[in-house]
Amino acid sequence: MQHNETVIDIKQTLKARQLLERFDLNLTRLNESGLYADEIETDTLEMLSSCLEEAIENGMDVQDLQTRANDLARYALTRGYAEHEVENLLTMRPNPNGKRLPNS
């Protein structure tokens, strides 16, 4: 009898979960408490965007991140960012550290 088992890369899975925890924690903080006194909003939004990108690189399915991407876009739009700026925020950029992992 043949088993159809998938091997899960634990290291990648844990890193993706950590990235999403970081994303959730920071976006919640922004929504509930606002920026820290010395925080640069665009840098924080870029960091949140990078969390989503790296989560994809570490095996998360894009569909699983859709709600978070929508939440990030909503936050940016309510803060006065233009539509093209939000689109840029949610656009995947080439990985400077090597090839992106396949999203299969």
Side-chain angles (χ1 to χ4, degrees):
M1 184 181 286
Q2 186 177 9
H3 296 338
N4 290 332
E5 296 180 9
T6 303
V7 176
I8 298 171
D9 186 329
I10 298 297
K11 184 177 178 182
Q12 285 185 321
T13 302
L14 288 175
K15 179 156 185 176
R17 286 182 185 165
Q18 289 172 332
L19 288 161
L20 295 181
E21 287 173 10
R22 180 180 181 192
F23 177 93
D24 293 342
L25 179 70
N26 280 286
L27 189 57
T28 298
R29 175 186 57 82
L30 288 175
N31 282 314
E32 292 178 359
S33 306
L35 296 166
Y36 294 133
D38 61 346
E39 186 174 16
I40 300 171
E41 187 173 56
T42 55
D43 291 347
T44 301
L45 295 181
E46 285 294 328
M47 179 272 298
L48 293 172
S49 174
S50 293
C51 286
L52 296 178
E53 286 183 32
E54 286 186 52
I56 292 169
E57 290 172 1
N58 282 282
M60 291 297 295
D61 189 278
V62 174
Q63 295 301 325
D64 295 337
L65 302 176
Q66 188 64 48
T67 301
R68 286 177 173 94
N70 289 342
D71 291 345
L72 178 58
R74 189 175 304 109
Y75 175 83
L77 289 169
T78 61
R79 297 290 296 169
Y81 288 82
E83 190 174 313
H84 73 275
E85 292 172 310
V86 174
E87 183 178 307
N88 186 48
L89 190 64
L90 298 176
T91 300
M92 297 276 298
R93 290 169 281 289
N95 182 348
N97 299 321
K99 295 180 181 178
R100 291 204 182 274
L101 299 173
N103 292 331
S104 55

